Amino acid sequence: GENVEQHPSTLSVQEGDSAVIKCTYSDSASNYFPWYKQELGKGPQLIIDIRSNVGEKKDQRIAVTLNKTAKHFSLHITETQPEDSAVYFCAASPRGFQKLVFGTGTRLLVSP
Amino acid sequence: KAGVTQTPRYLIKTRGQQVTLSCSPISGHRSVSWYQQTPGQGLQFLFEYFSETQRNKGNFPGRFSGRQFSNSRSEMNVSTLELGDSALYLCASSLGPETEAFFGQGTRLTVV
């Protein structure tokens, strides 16, 4: 079955810096890759996603890139703000299903 | 538009008891998935339902079961509770397979 690895487990940056989180997946049948942000006491919030027919997607300060050949995808956050502090999860979903396989999460801390 | 509603938010049960958790998806969404989140195992897929049919099941024992009703609301049941079942149980709603999944706040289950 699918396995998703996520790095780093923790990431500390200064406000205004960029942050990059990387994930790799194992199953070439996966074709949907969402990213979620989870704040303390809340459920995961979808922040951006990408499908296997697209190499890059951007939404304001957030971007995701996908390399199907290498089976890895990355989240890029520019101009980080303290409110970006949270745990971020990548996930992969096989074609035809709504089953998400999650990475282990990255705790992002943005210091003022 | 109301989000995904999970009830109850918190639950304390004794070993050996059973529990039923409820999820009301976003209006118009027909797909519901359930996940278990623990510090040790992270976010793990439990089940996926679409139009009252279970389409996929994760690697959990038979004590974990679920169902979906004709109005797309879903319930999951855990019988013969064990201490290790203590977790945050999350429900995700989507229009259908391979579409964006939106999570509820979760039900925090504590087994004592």
mmCIF file with all atom_site columns, all heavy atoms in Angstrom, chain A residues 62-88:
data_model
loop_
_atom_site.group_PDB
_atom_site.id
_atom_site.type_symbol
_atom_site.label_atom_id
_atom_site.label_alt_id
_atom_site.label_comp_id
_atom_site.label_asym_id
_atom_site.label_entity_id
_atom_site.label_seq_id
_atom_site.pdbx_PDB_ins_code
_atom_site.Cartn_x
_atom_site.Cartn_y
_atom_site.Cartn_z
_atom_site.occupancy
_atom_site.B_iso_or_equiv
_atom_site.pdbx_formal_charge
_atom_site.auth_seq_id
_atom_site.auth_comp_id
_atom_site.auth_asym_id
_atom_site.auth_atom_id
_atom_site.pdbx_PDB_model_num
ATOM 1   N N   . ILE A 1 62 ? 1.262  30.545 -0.680  1.00 0.00 ? 62 ILE A N   1
ATOM 2   C CA  . ILE A 1 62 ? 1.468  29.101 -0.612  1.00 0.00 ? 62 ILE A CA  1
ATOM 3   C C   . ILE A 1 62 ? 1.578  28.504 -2.006  1.00 0.00 ? 62 ILE A C   1
ATOM 4   O O   . ILE A 1 62 ? 0.817  28.889 -2.909  1.00 0.00 ? 62 ILE A O   1
ATOM 5   C CB  . ILE A 1 62 ? 0.294  28.435 0.146   1.00 0.00 ? 62 ILE A CB  1
ATOM 6   C CG1 . ILE A 1 62 ? 0.295  28.894 1.598   1.00 0.00 ? 62 ILE A CG1 1
ATOM 7   C CG2 . ILE A 1 62 ? 0.385  26.928 0.077   1.00 0.00 ? 62 ILE A CG2 1
ATOM 8   C CD1 . ILE A 1 62 ? -0.910 28.430 2.381   1.00 0.00 ? 62 ILE A CD1 1
ATOM 9   N N   . ALA A 1 63 ? 2.510  27.588 -2.178  1.00 0.00 ? 63 ALA A N   1
ATOM 10  C CA  . ALA A 1 63 ? 2.667  26.896 -3.455  1.00 0.00 ? 63 ALA A CA  1
ATOM 11  C C   . ALA A 1 63 ? 2.997  25.443 -3.189  1.00 0.00 ? 63 ALA A C   1
ATOM 12  O O   . ALA A 1 63 ? 3.575  25.096 -2.149  1.00 0.00 ? 63 ALA A O   1
ATOM 13  C CB  . ALA A 1 63 ? 3.767  27.538 -4.297  1.00 0.00 ? 63 ALA A CB  1
ATOM 14  N N   . VAL A 1 64 ? 2.605  24.599 -4.115  1.00 0.00 ? 64 VAL A N   1
ATOM 15  C CA  . VAL A 1 64 ? 2.943  23.182 -4.035  1.00 0.00 ? 64 VAL A CA  1
ATOM 16  C C   . VAL A 1 64 ? 3.530  22.754 -5.372  1.00 0.00 ? 64 VAL A C   1
ATOM 17  O O   . VAL A 1 64 ? 3.080  23.192 -6.432  1.00 0.00 ? 64 VAL A O   1
ATOM 18  C CB  . VAL A 1 64 ? 1.704  22.322 -3.669  1.00 0.00 ? 64 VAL A CB  1
ATOM 19  C CG1 . VAL A 1 64 ? 0.581  22.521 -4.654  1.00 0.00 ? 64 VAL A CG1 1
ATOM 20  C CG2 . VAL A 1 64 ? 2.067  20.856 -3.543  1.00 0.00 ? 64 VAL A CG2 1
ATOM 21  N N   . THR A 1 65 ? 4.586  21.942 -5.312  1.00 0.00 ? 65 THR A N   1
ATOM 22  C CA  . THR A 1 65 ? 5.198  21.401 -6.519  1.00 0.00 ? 65 THR A CA  1
ATOM 23  C C   . THR A 1 65 ? 5.143  19.888 -6.467  1.00 0.00 ? 65 THR A C   1
ATOM 24  O O   . THR A 1 65 ? 5.187  19.294 -5.380  1.00 0.00 ? 65 THR A O   1
ATOM 25  C CB  . THR A 1 65 ? 6.660  21.859 -6.658  1.00 0.00 ? 65 THR A CB  1
ATOM 26  O OG1 . THR A 1 65 ? 7.385  21.436 -5.494  1.00 0.00 ? 65 THR A OG1 1
ATOM 27  C CG2 . THR A 1 65 ? 6.756  23.367 -6.782  1.00 0.00 ? 65 THR A CG2 1
ATOM 28  N N   . LEU A 1 66 ? 5.036  19.262 -7.617  1.00 0.00 ? 66 LEU A N   1
ATOM 29  C CA  . LEU A 1 66 ? 4.935  17.810 -7.703  1.00 0.00 ? 66 LEU A CA  1
ATOM 30  C C   . LEU A 1 66 ? 5.896  17.297 -8.765  1.00 0.00 ? 66 LEU A C   1
ATOM 31  O O   . LEU A 1 66 ? 5.914  17.786 -9.891  1.00 0.00 ? 66 LEU A O   1
ATOM 32  C CB  . LEU A 1 66 ? 3.509  17.398 -8.061  1.00 0.00 ? 66 LEU A CB  1
ATOM 33  C CG  . LEU A 1 66 ? 3.273  15.917 -8.404  1.00 0.00 ? 66 LEU A CG  1
ATOM 34  C CD1 . LEU A 1 66 ? 3.519  15.042 -7.175  1.00 0.00 ? 66 LEU A CD1 1
ATOM 35  C CD2 . LEU A 1 66 ? 1.855  15.708 -8.932  1.00 0.00 ? 66 LEU A CD2 1
ATOM 36  N N   . ASN A 1 67 ? 6.701  16.306 -8.392  1.00 0.00 ? 67 ASN A N   1
ATOM 37  C CA  . ASN A 1 67 ? 7.586  15.624 -9.327  1.00 0.00 ? 67 ASN A CA  1
ATOM 38  C C   . ASN A 1 67 ? 7.157  14.163 -9.359  1.00 0.00 ? 67 ASN A C   1
ATOM 39  O O   . ASN A 1 67 ? 7.487  13.381 -8.478  1.00 0.00 ? 67 ASN A O   1
ATOM 40  C CB  . ASN A 1 67 ? 9.045  15.754 -8.873  1.00 0.00 ? 67 ASN A CB  1
ATOM 41  C CG  . ASN A 1 67 ? 10.028 15.127 -9.849  1.00 0.00 ? 67 ASN A CG  1
ATOM 42  O OD1 . ASN A 1 67 ? 9.732  14.109 -10.486 1.00 0.00 ? 67 ASN A OD1 1
ATOM 43  N ND2 . ASN A 1 67 ? 11.193 15.718 -9.971  1.00 0.00 ? 67 ASN A ND2 1
ATOM 44  N N   . LYS A 1 68 ? 6.378  13.810 -10.381 1.00 0.00 ? 68 LYS A N   1
ATOM 45  C CA  . LYS A 1 68 ? 5.832  12.446 -10.474 1.00 0.00 ? 68 LYS A CA  1
ATOM 46  C C   . LYS A 1 68 ? 6.913  11.404 -10.672 1.00 0.00 ? 68 LYS A C   1
ATOM 47  O O   . LYS A 1 68 ? 6.831  10.291 -10.180 1.00 0.00 ? 68 LYS A O   1
ATOM 48  C CB  . LYS A 1 68 ? 4.819  12.368 -11.620 1.00 0.00 ? 68 LYS A CB  1
ATOM 49  C CG  . LYS A 1 68 ? 3.475  12.943 -11.310 1.00 0.00 ? 68 LYS A CG  1
ATOM 50  C CD  . LYS A 1 68 ? 2.473  12.567 -12.383 1.00 0.00 ? 68 LYS A CD  1
ATOM 51  C CE  . LYS A 1 68 ? 2.894  13.068 -13.737 1.00 0.00 ? 68 LYS A CE  1
ATOM 52  N NZ  . LYS A 1 68 ? 1.917  12.714 -14.795 1.00 0.00 ? 68 LYS A NZ  1
ATOM 53  N N   . THR A 1 69 ? 7.938  11.769 -11.425 1.00 0.00 ? 69 THR A N   1
ATOM 54  C CA  . THR A 1 69 ? 9.015  10.822 -11.710 1.00 0.00 ? 69 THR A CA  1
ATOM 55  C C   . THR A 1 69 ? 9.728  10.418 -10.426 1.00 0.00 ? 69 THR A C   1
ATOM 56  O O   . THR A 1 69 ? 9.995  9.245  -10.182 1.00 0.00 ? 69 THR A O   1
ATOM 57  C CB  . THR A 1 69 ? 10.012 11.417 -12.710 1.00 0.00 ? 69 THR A CB  1
ATOM 58  O OG1 . THR A 1 69 ? 9.303  11.806 -13.887 1.00 0.00 ? 69 THR A OG1 1
ATOM 59  C CG2 . THR A 1 69 ? 11.099 10.417 -13.065 1.00 0.00 ? 69 THR A CG2 1
ATOM 60  N N   . ALA A 1 70 ? 10.028 11.415 -9.609  1.00 0.00 ? 70 ALA A N   1
ATOM 61  C CA  . ALA A 1 70 ? 10.741 11.157 -8.361  1.00 0.00 ? 70 ALA A CA  1
ATOM 62  C C   . ALA A 1 70 ? 9.787  10.802 -7.230  1.00 0.00 ? 70 ALA A C   1
ATOM 63  O O   . ALA A 1 70 ? 10.230 10.437 -6.140  1.00 0.00 ? 70 ALA A O   1
ATOM 64  C CB  . ALA A 1 70 ? 11.580 12.375 -7.993  1.00 0.00 ? 70 ALA A CB  1
ATOM 65  N N   . LYS A 1 71 ? 8.502  10.929 -7.468  1.00 0.00 ? 71 LYS A N   1
ATOM 66  C CA  . LYS A 1 71 ? 7.466  10.671 -6.466  1.00 0.00 ? 71 LYS A CA  1
ATOM 67  C C   . LYS A 1 71 ? 7.676  11.538 -5.230  1.00 0.00 ? 71 LYS A C   1
ATOM 68  O O   . LYS A 1 71 ? 7.682  11.035 -4.100  1.00 0.00 ? 71 LYS A O   1
ATOM 69  C CB  . LYS A 1 71 ? 7.444  9.192  -6.077  1.00 0.00 ? 71 LYS A CB  1
ATOM 70  C CG  . LYS A 1 71 ? 6.971  8.281  -7.194  1.00 0.00 ? 71 LYS A CG  1
ATOM 71  C CD  . LYS A 1 71 ? 6.888  6.851  -6.707  1.00 0.00 ? 71 LYS A CD  1
ATOM 72  C CE  . LYS A 1 71 ? 6.649  5.912  -7.872  1.00 0.00 ? 71 LYS A CE  1
ATOM 73  N NZ  . LYS A 1 71 ? 6.954  4.527  -7.536  1.00 0.00 ? 71 LYS A NZ  1
ATOM 74  N N   . HIS A 1 72 ? 7.855  12.815 -5.441  1.00 0.00 ? 72 HIS A N   1
ATOM 75  C CA  . HIS A 1 72 ? 7.880  13.695 -4.293  1.00 0.00 ? 72 HIS A CA  1
ATOM 76  C C   . HIS A 1 72 ? 7.168  15.003 -4.596  1.00 0.00 ? 72 HIS A C   1
ATOM 77  O O   . HIS A 1 72 ? 7.031  15.432 -5.750  1.00 0.00 ? 72 HIS A O   1
ATOM 78  C CB  . HIS A 1 72 ? 9.289  13.882 -3.738  1.00 0.00 ? 72 HIS A CB  1
ATOM 79  C CG  . HIS A 1 72 ? 10.239 14.603 -4.622  1.00 0.00 ? 72 HIS A CG  1
ATOM 80  N ND1 . HIS A 1 72 ? 10.154 15.944 -4.935  1.00 0.00 ? 72 HIS A ND1 1
ATOM 81  C CD2 . HIS A 1 72 ? 11.376 14.162 -5.222  1.00 0.00 ? 72 HIS A CD2 1
ATOM 82  C CE1 . HIS A 1 72 ? 11.166 16.282 -5.701  1.00 0.00 ? 72 HIS A CE1 1
ATOM 83  N NE2 . HIS A 1 72 ? 11.916 15.228 -5.901  1.00 0.00 ? 72 HIS A NE2 1
ATOM 84  N N   . PHE A 1 73 ? 6.643  15.606 -3.531  1.00 0.00 ? 73 PHE A N   1
ATOM 85  C CA  . PHE A 1 73 ? 5.937  16.867 -3.635  1.00 0.00 ? 73 PHE A CA  1
ATOM 86  C C   . PHE A 1 73 ? 6.284  17.729 -2.430  1.00 0.00 ? 73 PHE A C   1
ATOM 87  O O   . PHE A 1 73 ? 6.644  17.207 -1.372  1.00 0.00 ? 73 PHE A O   1
ATOM 88  C CB  . PHE A 1 73 ? 4.423  16.661 -3.794  1.00 0.00 ? 73 PHE A CB  1
ATOM 89  C CG  . PHE A 1 73 ? 3.745  15.846 -2.729  1.00 0.00 ? 73 PHE A CG  1
ATOM 90  C CD1 . PHE A 1 73 ? 2.820  16.433 -1.881  1.00 0.00 ? 73 PHE A CD1 1
ATOM 91  C CD2 . PHE A 1 73 ? 3.989  14.479 -2.585  1.00 0.00 ? 73 PHE A CD2 1
ATOM 92  C CE1 . PHE A 1 73 ? 2.161  15.691 -0.919  1.00 0.00 ? 73 PHE A CE1 1
ATOM 93  C CE2 . PHE A 1 73 ? 3.339  13.729 -1.627  1.00 0.00 ? 73 PHE A CE2 1
ATOM 94  C CZ  . PHE A 1 73 ? 2.416  14.341 -0.787  1.00 0.00 ? 73 PHE A CZ  1
ATOM 95  N N   . SER A 1 74 ? 6.217  19.029 -2.618  1.00 0.00 ? 74 SER A N   1
ATOM 96  C CA  . SER A 1 74 ? 6.683  19.954 -1.592  1.00 0.00 ? 74 SER A CA  1
ATOM 97  C C   . SER A 1 74 ? 5.710  21.108 -1.405  1.00 0.00 ? 74 SER A C   1
ATOM 98  O O   . SER A 1 74 ? 5.037  21.526 -2.350  1.00 0.00 ? 74 SER A O   1
ATOM 99  C CB  . SER A 1 74 ? 8.049  20.529 -1.980  1.00 0.00 ? 74 SER A CB  1
ATOM 100 O OG  . SER A 1 74 ? 9.008  19.508 -2.124  1.00 0.00 ? 74 SER A OG  1
ATOM 101 N N   . LEU A 1 75 ? 5.673  21.614 -0.182  1.00 0.00 ? 75 LEU A N   1
ATOM 102 C CA  . LEU A 1 75 ? 4.878  22.795 0.162   1.00 0.00 ? 75 LEU A CA  1
ATOM 103 C C   . LEU A 1 75 ? 5.845  23.945 0.408   1.00 0.00 ? 75 LEU A C   1
ATOM 104 O O   . LEU A 1 75 ? 6.815  23.792 1.152   1.00 0.00 ? 75 LEU A O   1
ATOM 105 C CB  . LEU A 1 75 ? 4.046  22.534 1.424   1.00 0.00 ? 75 LEU A CB  1
ATOM 106 C CG  . LEU A 1 75 ? 3.219  23.706 1.947   1.00 0.00 ? 75 LEU A CG  1
ATOM 107 C CD1 . LEU A 1 75 ? 2.054  23.994 1.010   1.00 0.00 ? 75 LEU A CD1 1
ATOM 108 C CD2 . LEU A 1 75 ? 2.708  23.426 3.363   1.00 0.00 ? 75 LEU A CD2 1
ATOM 109 N N   . HIS A 1 76 ? 5.557  25.079 -0.211  1.00 0.00 ? 76 HIS A N   1
ATOM 110 C CA  . HIS A 1 76 ? 6.390  26.264 -0.046  1.00 0.00 ? 76 HIS A CA  1
ATOM 111 C C   . HIS A 1 76 ? 5.517  27.377 0.520   1.00 0.00 ? 76 HIS A C   1
ATOM 112 O O   . HIS A 1 76 ? 4.477  27.704 -0.072  1.00 0.00 ? 76 HIS A O   1
ATOM 113 C CB  . HIS A 1 76 ? 6.960  26.705 -1.398  1.00 0.00 ? 76 HIS A CB  1
ATOM 114 C CG  . HIS A 1 76 ? 7.728  25.638 -2.109  1.00 0.00 ? 76 HIS A CG  1
ATOM 115 N ND1 . HIS A 1 76 ? 9.101  25.643 -2.220  1.00 0.00 ? 76 HIS A ND1 1
ATOM 116 C CD2 . HIS A 1 76 ? 7.311  24.516 -2.756  1.00 0.00 ? 76 HIS A CD2 1
ATOM 117 C CE1 . HIS A 1 76 ? 9.489  24.575 -2.904  1.00 0.00 ? 76 HIS A CE1 1
ATOM 118 N NE2 . HIS A 1 76 ? 8.434  23.870 -3.242  1.00 0.00 ? 76 HIS A NE2 1
ATOM 119 N N   . ILE A 1 77 ? 5.947  27.937 1.639   1.00 0.00 ? 77 ILE A N   1
ATOM 120 C CA  . ILE A 1 77 ? 5.247  29.088 2.219   1.00 0.00 ? 77 ILE A CA  1
ATOM 121 C C   . ILE A 1 77 ? 6.217  30.256 2.217   1.00 0.00 ? 77 ILE A C   1
ATOM 122 O O   . ILE A 1 77 ? 7.314  30.170 2.783   1.00 0.00 ? 77 ILE A O   1
ATOM 123 C CB  . ILE A 1 77 ? 4.776  28.808 3.663   1.00 0.00 ? 77 ILE A CB  1
ATOM 124 C CG1 . ILE A 1 77 ? 3.933  27.535 3.718   1.00 0.00 ? 77 ILE A CG1 1
ATOM 125 C CG2 . ILE A 1 77 ? 3.980  29.998 4.195   1.00 0.00 ? 77 ILE A CG2 1
ATOM 126 C CD1 . ILE A 1 77 ? 3.555  27.116 5.134   1.00 0.00 ? 77 ILE A CD1 1
ATOM 127 N N   . THR A 1 78 ? 5.840  31.336 1.552   1.00 0.00 ? 78 THR A N   1
ATOM 128 C CA  . THR A 1 78 ? 6.705  32.523 1.520   1.00 0.00 ? 78 THR A CA  1
ATOM 129 C C   . THR A 1 78 ? 6.181  33.562 2.508   1.00 0.00 ? 78 THR A C   1
ATOM 130 O O   . THR A 1 78 ? 5.017  33.523 2.929   1.00 0.00 ? 78 THR A O   1
ATOM 131 C CB  . THR A 1 78 ? 6.739  33.130 0.116   1.00 0.00 ? 78 THR A CB  1
ATOM 132 O OG1 . THR A 1 78 ? 5.402  33.478 -0.269  1.00 0.00 ? 78 THR A OG1 1
ATOM 133 C CG2 . THR A 1 78 ? 7.318  32.155 -0.900  1.00 0.00 ? 78 THR A CG2 1
ATOM 134 N N   . GLU A 1 79 ? 7.072  34.492 2.876   1.00 0.00 ? 79 GLU A N   1
ATOM 135 C CA  . GLU A 1 79 ? 6.711  35.594 3.782   1.00 0.00 ? 79 GLU A CA  1
ATOM 136 C C   . GLU A 1 79 ? 5.929  35.075 4.993   1.00 0.00 ? 79 GLU A C   1
ATOM 137 O O   . GLU A 1 79 ? 4.819  35.543 5.282   1.00 0.00 ? 79 GLU A O   1
ATOM 138 C CB  . GLU A 1 79 ? 5.902  36.653 3.027   1.00 0.00 ? 79 GLU A CB  1
ATOM 139 C CG  . GLU A 1 79 ? 6.658  37.258 1.861   1.00 0.00 ? 79 GLU A CG  1
ATOM 140 C CD  . GLU A 1 79 ? 5.765  38.133 0.984   1.00 0.00 ? 79 GLU A CD  1
ATOM 141 O OE1 . GLU A 1 79 ? 4.784  38.703 1.506   1.00 0.00 ? 79 GLU A OE1 1
ATOM 142 O OE2 . GLU A 1 79 ? 6.043  38.233 -0.229  1.00 0.00 ? 79 GLU A OE2 1
ATOM 143 N N   . THR A 1 80 ? 6.511  34.133 5.694   1.00 0.00 ? 80 THR A N   1
ATOM 144 C CA  . THR A 1 80 ? 5.801  33.496 6.802   1.00 0.00 ? 80 THR A CA  1
ATOM 145 C C   . THR A 1 80 ? 5.398  34.510 7.873   1.00 0.00 ? 80 THR A C   1
ATOM 146 O O   . THR A 1 80 ? 6.081  35.520 8.099   1.00 0.00 ? 80 THR A O   1
ATOM 147 C CB  . THR A 1 80 ? 6.662  32.397 7.451   1.00 0.00 ? 80 THR A CB  1
ATOM 148 O OG1 . THR A 1 80 ? 7.935  32.949 7.806   1.00 0.00 ? 80 THR A OG1 1
ATOM 149 C CG2 . THR A 1 80 ? 6.849  31.221 6.503   1.00 0.00 ? 80 THR A CG2 1
ATOM 150 N N   . GLN A 1 81 ? 4.273  34.190 8.526   1.00 0.00 ? 81 GLN A N   1
ATOM 151 C CA  . GLN A 1 81 ? 3.725  35.039 9.585   1.00 0.00 ? 81 GLN A CA  1
ATOM 152 C C   . GLN A 1 81 ? 3.500  34.168 10.817  1.00 0.00 ? 81 GLN A C   1
ATOM 153 O O   . GLN A 1 81 ? 3.336  32.948 10.707  1.00 0.00 ? 81 GLN A O   1
ATOM 154 C CB  . GLN A 1 81 ? 2.407  35.653 9.101   1.00 0.00 ? 81 GLN A CB  1
ATOM 155 C CG  . GLN A 1 81 ? 2.564  36.488 7.846   1.00 0.00 ? 81 GLN A CG  1
ATOM 156 C CD  . GLN A 1 81 ? 1.237  36.820 7.179   1.00 0.00 ? 81 GLN A CD  1
ATOM 157 O OE1 . GLN A 1 81 ? 0.165  36.474 7.680   1.00 0.00 ? 81 GLN A OE1 1
ATOM 158 N NE2 . GLN A 1 81 ? 1.311  37.490 6.037   1.00 0.00 ? 81 GLN A NE2 1
ATOM 159 N N   . PRO A 1 82 ? 3.476  34.769 12.004  1.00 0.00 ? 82 PRO A N   1
ATOM 160 C CA  . PRO A 1 82 ? 3.263  33.969 13.225  1.00 0.00 ? 82 PRO A CA  1
ATOM 161 C C   . PRO A 1 82 ? 2.014  33.092 13.161  1.00 0.00 ? 82 PRO A C   1
ATOM 162 O O   . PRO A 1 82 ? 2.011  31.972 13.676  1.00 0.00 ? 82 PRO A O   1
ATOM 163 C CB  . PRO A 1 82 ? 3.156  35.037 14.315  1.00 0.00 ? 82 PRO A CB  1
ATOM 164 C CG  . PRO A 1 82 ? 3.999  36.161 13.811  1.00 0.00 ? 82 PRO A CG  1
ATOM 165 C CD  . PRO A 1 82 ? 3.782  36.173 12.324  1.00 0.00 ? 82 PRO A CD  1
ATOM 166 N N   . GLU A 1 83 ? 0.984  33.560 12.478  1.00 0.00 ? 83 GLU A N   1
ATOM 167 C CA  . GLU A 1 83 ? -0.247 32.762 12.377  1.00 0.00 ? 83 GLU A CA  1
ATOM 168 C C   . GLU A 1 83 ? -0.099 31.546 11.460  1.00 0.00 ? 83 GLU A C   1
ATOM 169 O O   . GLU A 1 83 ? -1.012 30.721 11.384  1.00 0.00 ? 83 GLU A O   1
ATOM 170 C CB  . GLU A 1 83 ? -1.431 33.623 11.926  1.00 0.00 ? 83 GLU A CB  1
ATOM 171 C CG  . GLU A 1 83 ? -1.165 34.453 10.706  1.00 0.00 ? 83 GLU A CG  1
ATOM 172 C CD  . GLU A 1 83 ? -0.716 35.872 11.053  1.00 0.00 ? 83 GLU A CD  1
ATOM 173 O OE1 . GLU A 1 83 ? 0.059  36.046 12.026  1.00 0.00 ? 83 GLU A OE1 1
ATOM 174 O OE2 . GLU A 1 83 ? -1.135 36.801 10.336  1.00 0.00 ? 83 GLU A OE2 1
ATOM 175 N N   . ASP A 1 84 ? 1.036  31.427 10.790  1.00 0.00 ? 84 ASP A N   1
ATOM 176 C CA  . ASP A 1 84 ? 1.300  30.218 10.005  1.00 0.00 ? 84 ASP A CA  1
ATOM 177 C C   . ASP A 1 84 ? 1.777  29.073 10.907  1.00 0.00 ? 84 ASP A C   1
ATOM 178 O O   . ASP A 1 84 ? 1.875  27.926 10.457  1.00 0.00 ? 84 ASP A O   1
ATOM 179 C CB  . ASP A 1 84 ? 2.376  30.479 8.943   1.00 0.00 ? 84 ASP A CB  1
ATOM 180 C CG  . ASP A 1 84 ? 1.916  31.440 7.855   1.00 0.00 ? 84 ASP A CG  1
ATOM 181 O OD1 . ASP A 1 84 ? 0.699  31.477 7.568   1.00 0.00 ? 84 ASP A OD1 1
ATOM 182 O OD2 . ASP A 1 84 ? 2.774  32.169 7.308   1.00 0.00 ? 84 ASP A OD2 1
ATOM 183 N N   . SER A 1 85 ? 2.084  29.386 12.154  1.00 0.00 ? 85 SER A N   1
ATOM 184 C CA  . SER A 1 85 ? 2.541  28.360 13.097  1.00 0.00 ? 85 SER A CA  1
ATOM 185 C C   . SER A 1 85 ? 1.441  27.329 13.313  1.00 0.00 ? 85 SER A C   1
ATOM 186 O O   . SER A 1 85 ? 0.315  27.677 13.678  1.00 0.00 ? 85 SER A O   1
ATOM 187 C CB  . SER A 1 85 ? 2.928  28.992 14.440  1.00 0.00 ? 85 SER A CB  1
ATOM 188 O OG  . SER A 1 85 ? 4.015  29.876 14.281  1.00 0.00 ? 85 SER A OG  1
ATOM 189 N N   . ALA A 1 86 ? 1.770  26.074 13.051  1.00 0.00 ? 86 ALA A N   1
ATOM 190 C CA  . ALA A 1 86 ? 0.798  24.976 13.141  1.00 0.00 ? 86 ALA A CA  1
ATOM 191 C C   . ALA A 1 86 ? 1.522  23.691 12.745  1.00 0.00 ? 86 ALA A C   1
ATOM 192 O O   . ALA A 1 86 ? 2.713  23.710 12.436  1.00 0.00 ? 86 ALA A O   1
ATOM 193 C CB  . ALA A 1 86 ? -0.380 25.213 12.198  1.00 0.00 ? 86 ALA A CB  1
ATOM 194 N N   . VAL A 1 87 ? 0.786  22.589 12.734  1.00 0.00 ? 87 VAL A N   1
ATOM 195 C CA  . VAL A 1 87 ? 1.321  21.339 12.192  1.00 0.00 ? 87 VAL A CA  1
ATOM 196 C C   . VAL A 1 87 ? 0.773  21.156 10.785  1.00 0.00 ? 87 VAL A C   1
ATOM 197 O O   . VAL A 1 87 ? -0.429 21.299 10.558  1.00 0.00 ? 87 VAL A O   1
ATOM 198 C CB  . VAL A 1 87 ? 0.935  20.131 13.071  1.00 0.00 ? 87 VAL A CB  1
ATOM 199 C CG1 . VAL A 1 87 ? 1.504  18.852 12.469  1.00 0.00 ? 87 VAL A CG1 1
ATOM 200 C CG2 . VAL A 1 87 ? 1.448  20.317 14.493  1.00 0.00 ? 87 VAL A CG2 1
ATOM 201 N N   . TYR A 1 88 ? 1.658  20.884 9.856   1.00 0.00 ? 88 TYR A N   1
ATOM 202 C CA  . TYR A 1 88 ? 1.274  20.699 8.457   1.00 0.00 ? 88 TYR A CA  1
ATOM 203 C C   . TYR A 1 88 ? 1.425  19.234 8.065   1.00 0.00 ? 88 TYR A C   1
ATOM 204 O O   . TYR A 1 88 ? 2.434  18.596 8.376   1.00 0.00 ? 88 TYR A O   1
ATOM 205 C CB  . TYR A 1 88 ? 2.146  21.575 7.554   1.00 0.00 ? 88 TYR A CB  1
ATOM 206 C CG  . TYR A 1 88 ? 1.842  23.041 7.709   1.00 0.00 ? 88 TYR A CG  1
ATOM 207 C CD1 . TYR A 1 88 ? 2.380  23.767 8.780   1.00 0.00 ? 88 TYR A CD1 1
ATOM 208 C CD2 . TYR A 1 88 ? 1.014  23.715 6.818   1.00 0.00 ? 88 TYR A CD2 1
ATOM 209 C CE1 . TYR A 1 88 ? 2.082  25.107 8.956   1.00 0.00 ? 88 TYR A CE1 1
ATOM 210 C CE2 . TYR A 1 88 ? 0.712  25.063 6.984   1.00 0.00 ? 88 TYR A CE2 1
ATOM 211 C CZ  . TYR A 1 88 ? 1.257  25.750 8.058   1.00 0.00 ? 88 TYR A CZ  1
ATOM 212 O OH  . TYR A 1 88 ? 0.959  27.081 8.224   1.00 0.00 ? 88 TYR A OH  1
#
